[in-house]
Amino acid sequence: MISAHSELNNKIMLEQGQGVKQFLTFIMADEEYGVDILTVQEIRSWEEITEIPNAPDYVKGVINLRGTIVPILDLRLRFGLATIDYGPLTVVIVVKVIFEQNSKIMGMVVDAVSDVYSIVEQDAKAVPNFSGSENAEFIAGLVNVGEKMVALLDLQKTMDI
């Protein structure tokens, strides 16, 4: 439960723009995840892609996006979630990921886009350390938005293939 004092502080910080970032959220396996909206290049509906031989199973292939070859990763497979058939709500979120030496344009297949939230950075909580949990490394932090919790992705670790 968010206290009235915490909500007031968040409202003041939002109004002043202090430490506030916007996150695009999306759904996978009934959970909500978020990425910094400044990394999002575009959102596309699912389309046929060119498969790449011997790529990891979570790399679905590549698309040609206005002359740029963009690798497409299925986040369900990347996170070890059950696979589902792609449907009309399935989307590819194209993001620009900055690695140490350069940046890459990459796509993430997700179940559906959800919302855009303005989040005060200091409200993000650290991920509890679970022994044997491979997927915790992909999460930069957890934040409560209303009555739900959103996992904020670390794109560098998530998209590193």
PDB file of all heavy atoms in Angstrom, residues 79-96:
ATOM      1  N   PHE A  79      13.440 -15.566 -21.326  1.00  0.00           N
ATOM      2  CA  PHE A  79      13.190 -15.667 -19.892  1.00  0.00           C
ATOM      3  C   PHE A  79      12.793 -17.072 -19.455  1.00  0.00           C
ATOM      4  O   PHE A  79      12.510 -17.299 -18.283  1.00  0.00           O
ATOM      5  CB  PHE A  79      12.084 -14.688 -19.478  1.00  0.00           C
ATOM      6  CG  PHE A  79      12.479 -13.236 -19.580  1.00  0.00           C
ATOM      7  CD1 PHE A  79      11.534 -12.261 -19.402  1.00  0.00           C
ATOM      8  CD2 PHE A  79      13.777 -12.833 -19.844  1.00  0.00           C
ATOM      9  CE1 PHE A  79      11.865 -10.909 -19.483  1.00  0.00           C
ATOM     10  CE2 PHE A  79      14.123 -11.502 -19.932  1.00  0.00           C
ATOM     11  CZ  PHE A  79      13.165 -10.533 -19.754  1.00  0.00           C
ATOM     12  N   GLY A  80      12.739 -18.016 -20.395  1.00  0.00           N
ATOM     13  CA  GLY A  80      12.392 -19.390 -20.035  1.00  0.00           C
ATOM     14  C   GLY A  80      10.910 -19.578 -19.736  1.00  0.00           C
ATOM     15  O   GLY A  80      10.538 -20.495 -19.010  1.00  0.00           O
ATOM     16  N   LEU A  81      10.052 -18.727 -20.297  1.00  0.00           N
ATOM     17  CA  LEU A  81       8.607 -18.846 -20.104  1.00  0.00           C
ATOM     18  C   LEU A  81       8.029 -19.782 -21.163  1.00  0.00           C
ATOM     19  O   LEU A  81       8.646 -20.019 -22.191  1.00  0.00           O
ATOM     20  CB  LEU A  81       7.942 -17.469 -20.214  1.00  0.00           C
ATOM     21  CG  LEU A  81       8.439 -16.396 -19.243  1.00  0.00           C
ATOM     22  CD1 LEU A  81       7.841 -15.038 -19.597  1.00  0.00           C
ATOM     23  CD2 LEU A  81       8.115 -16.774 -17.813  1.00  0.00           C
ATOM     24  N   ALA A  82       6.824 -20.257 -20.908  1.00  0.00           N
ATOM     25  CA  ALA A  82       6.151 -21.128 -21.872  1.00  0.00           C
ATOM     26  C   ALA A  82       5.910 -20.368 -23.175  1.00  0.00           C
ATOM     27  O   ALA A  82       5.592 -19.177 -23.158  1.00  0.00           O
ATOM     28  CB  ALA A  82       4.821 -21.603 -21.298  1.00  0.00           C
ATOM     29  N   THR A  83       6.074 -21.052 -24.290  1.00  0.00           N
ATOM     30  CA  THR A  83       5.854 -20.404 -25.584  1.00  0.00           C
ATOM     31  C   THR A  83       4.358 -20.372 -25.896  1.00  0.00           C
ATOM     32  O   THR A  83       3.603 -21.234 -25.420  1.00  0.00           O
ATOM     33  CB  THR A  83       6.594 -21.129 -26.718  1.00  0.00           C
ATOM     34  OG1 THR A  83       6.133 -22.479 -26.772  1.00  0.00           O
ATOM     35  CG2 THR A  83       8.081 -21.103 -26.503  1.00  0.00           C
ATOM     36  N   ILE A  84       3.965 -19.388 -26.676  1.00  0.00           N
ATOM     37  CA  ILE A  84       2.583 -19.297 -27.145  1.00  0.00           C
ATOM     38  C   ILE A  84       2.630 -18.971 -28.634  1.00  0.00           C
ATOM     39  O   ILE A  84       3.636 -18.490 -29.141  1.00  0.00           O
ATOM     40  CB  ILE A  84       1.769 -18.227 -26.390  1.00  0.00           C
ATOM     41  CG1 ILE A  84       2.379 -16.831 -26.587  1.00  0.00           C
ATOM     42  CG2 ILE A  84       1.620 -18.556 -24.920  1.00  0.00           C
ATOM     43  CD1 ILE A  84       1.494 -15.696 -26.105  1.00  0.00           C
ATOM     44  N   ASP A  85       1.522 -19.257 -29.309  1.00  0.00           N
ATOM     45  CA  ASP A  85       1.427 -18.884 -30.719  1.00  0.00           C
ATOM     46  C   ASP A  85       1.287 -17.369 -30.814  1.00  0.00           C
ATOM     47  O   ASP A  85       0.598 -16.748 -29.995  1.00  0.00           O
ATOM     48  CB  ASP A  85       0.215 -19.552 -31.377  1.00  0.00           C
ATOM     49  CG  ASP A  85       0.391 -21.056 -31.504  1.00  0.00           C
ATOM     50  OD1 ASP A  85       1.556 -21.510 -31.586  1.00  0.00           O
ATOM     51  OD2 ASP A  85      -0.628 -21.764 -31.512  1.00  0.00           O
ATOM     52  N   TYR A  86       1.925 -16.791 -31.793  1.00  0.00           N
ATOM     53  CA  TYR A  86       1.804 -15.359 -32.007  1.00  0.00           C
ATOM     54  C   TYR A  86       0.405 -15.061 -32.526  1.00  0.00           C
ATOM     55  O   TYR A  86      -0.116 -15.773 -33.369  1.00  0.00           O
ATOM     56  CB  TYR A  86       2.853 -14.860 -32.991  1.00  0.00           C
ATOM     57  CG  TYR A  86       4.282 -15.052 -32.511  1.00  0.00           C
ATOM     58  CD1 TYR A  86       5.317 -15.158 -33.406  1.00  0.00           C
ATOM     59  CD2 TYR A  86       4.591 -15.115 -31.156  1.00  0.00           C
ATOM     60  CE1 TYR A  86       6.635 -15.315 -32.985  1.00  0.00           C
ATOM     61  CE2 TYR A  86       5.898 -15.270 -30.717  1.00  0.00           C
ATOM     62  CZ  TYR A  86       6.918 -15.375 -31.631  1.00  0.00           C
ATOM     63  OH  TYR A  86       8.203 -15.529 -31.205  1.00  0.00           O
ATOM     64  N   GLY A  87      -0.203 -14.007 -31.984  1.00  0.00           N
ATOM     65  CA  GLY A  87      -1.560 -13.645 -32.365  1.00  0.00           C
ATOM     66  C   GLY A  87      -1.639 -12.191 -32.793  1.00  0.00           C
ATOM     67  O   GLY A  87      -0.616 -11.519 -32.966  1.00  0.00           O
ATOM     68  N   PRO A  88      -2.865 -11.682 -32.920  1.00  0.00           N
ATOM     69  CA  PRO A  88      -3.043 -10.309 -33.392  1.00  0.00           C
ATOM     70  C   PRO A  88      -2.487  -9.247 -32.432  1.00  0.00           C
ATOM     71  O   PRO A  88      -2.192  -8.133 -32.844  1.00  0.00           O
ATOM     72  CB  PRO A  88      -4.555 -10.166 -33.563  1.00  0.00           C
ATOM     73  CG  PRO A  88      -5.166 -11.320 -32.861  1.00  0.00           C
ATOM     74  CD  PRO A  88      -4.134 -12.379 -32.732  1.00  0.00           C
ATOM     75  N   LEU A  89      -2.348  -9.568 -31.150  1.00  0.00           N
ATOM     76  CA  LEU A  89      -1.809  -8.603 -30.197  1.00  0.00           C
ATOM     77  C   LEU A  89      -0.286  -8.697 -30.063  1.00  0.00           C
ATOM     78  O   LEU A  89       0.339  -7.828 -29.458  1.00  0.00           O
ATOM     79  CB  LEU A  89      -2.437  -8.795 -28.812  1.00  0.00           C
ATOM     80  CG  LEU A  89      -3.913  -8.454 -28.694  1.00  0.00           C
ATOM     81  CD1 LEU A  89      -4.416  -8.717 -27.276  1.00  0.00           C
ATOM     82  CD2 LEU A  89      -4.190  -7.021 -29.097  1.00  0.00           C
ATOM     83  N   THR A  90       0.303  -9.758 -30.610  1.00  0.00           N
ATOM     84  CA  THR A  90       1.750  -9.939 -30.521  1.00  0.00           C
ATOM     85  C   THR A  90       2.443  -8.788 -31.238  1.00  0.00           C
ATOM     86  O   THR A  90       2.091  -8.450 -32.366  1.00  0.00           O
ATOM     87  CB  THR A  90       2.183 -11.269 -31.157  1.00  0.00           C
ATOM     88  OG1 THR A  90       1.463 -12.335 -30.519  1.00  0.00           O
ATOM     89  CG2 THR A  90       3.676 -11.505 -30.991  1.00  0.00           C
ATOM     90  N   VAL A  91       3.412  -8.184 -30.562  1.00  0.00           N
ATOM     91  CA  VAL A  91       4.113  -7.047 -31.156  1.00  0.00           C
ATOM     92  C   VAL A  91       5.616  -7.220 -31.019  1.00  0.00           C
ATOM     93  O   VAL A  91       6.104  -7.996 -30.201  1.00  0.00           O
ATOM     94  CB  VAL A  91       3.697  -5.704 -30.519  1.00  0.00           C
ATOM     95  CG1 VAL A  91       2.249  -5.386 -30.788  1.00  0.00           C
ATOM     96  CG2 VAL A  91       3.969  -5.694 -29.039  1.00  0.00           C
ATOM     97  N   VAL A  92       6.319  -6.460 -31.845  1.00  0.00           N
ATOM     98  CA  VAL A  92       7.772  -6.368 -31.755  1.00  0.00           C
ATOM     99  C   VAL A  92       8.078  -4.936 -31.330  1.00  0.00           C
ATOM    100  O   VAL A  92       7.692  -3.989 -32.019  1.00  0.00           O
ATOM    101  CB  VAL A  92       8.449  -6.696 -33.101  1.00  0.00           C
ATOM    102  CG1 VAL A  92       9.952  -6.470 -33.014  1.00  0.00           C
ATOM    103  CG2 VAL A  92       8.134  -8.123 -33.531  1.00  0.00           C
ATOM    104  N   ILE A  93       8.743  -4.807 -30.198  1.00  0.00           N
ATOM    105  CA  ILE A  93       9.182  -3.488 -29.740  1.00  0.00           C
ATOM    106  C   ILE A  93      10.624  -3.335 -30.197  1.00  0.00           C
ATOM    107  O   ILE A  93      11.491  -4.102 -29.788  1.00  0.00           O
ATOM    108  CB  ILE A  93       9.078  -3.356 -28.208  1.00  0.00           C
ATOM    109  CG1 ILE A  93       7.644  -3.577 -27.744  1.00  0.00           C
ATOM    110  CG2 ILE A  93       9.597  -1.985 -27.760  1.00  0.00           C
ATOM    111  CD1 ILE A  93       7.476  -3.624 -26.234  1.00  0.00           C
ATOM    112  N   VAL A  94      10.857  -2.366 -31.076  1.00  0.00           N
ATOM    113  CA  VAL A  94      12.203  -2.112 -31.600  1.00  0.00           C
ATOM    114  C   VAL A  94      12.866  -1.097 -30.684  1.00  0.00           C
ATOM    115  O   VAL A  94      12.321  -0.018 -30.446  1.00  0.00           O
ATOM    116  CB  VAL A  94      12.151  -1.605 -33.052  1.00  0.00           C
ATOM    117  CG1 VAL A  94      13.557  -1.314 -33.570  1.00  0.00           C
ATOM    118  CG2 VAL A  94      11.445  -2.625 -33.946  1.00  0.00           C
ATOM    119  N   VAL A  95      14.024  -1.490 -30.127  1.00  0.00           N
ATOM    120  CA  VAL A  95      14.732  -0.644 -29.167  1.00  0.00           C
ATOM    121  C   VAL A  95      16.161  -0.396 -29.626  1.00  0.00           C
ATOM    122  O   VAL A  95      16.727  -1.184 -30.388  1.00  0.00           O
ATOM    123  CB  VAL A  95      14.754  -1.276 -27.750  1.00  0.00           C
ATOM    124  CG1 VAL A  95      13.365  -1.336 -27.149  1.00  0.00           C
ATOM    125  CG2 VAL A  95      15.396  -2.653 -27.767  1.00  0.00           C
ATOM    126  N   LYS A  96      16.715   0.691 -29.145  1.00  0.00           N
ATOM    127  CA  LYS A  96      18.127   0.992 -29.368  1.00  0.00           C
ATOM    128  C   LYS A  96      18.835   0.673 -28.060  1.00  0.00           C
ATOM    129  O   LYS A  96      18.567   1.297 -27.035  1.00  0.00           O
ATOM    130  CB  LYS A  96      18.315   2.458 -29.744  1.00  0.00           C
ATOM    131  CG  LYS A  96      19.747   2.809 -30.068  1.00  0.00           C
ATOM    132  CD  LYS A  96      19.834   4.257 -30.538  1.00  0.00           C
ATOM    133  CE  LYS A  96      21.221   4.570 -31.047  1.00  0.00           C
ATOM    134  NZ  LYS A  96      21.272   5.936 -31.605  1.00  0.00           N
TER     135      LYS A  96
END
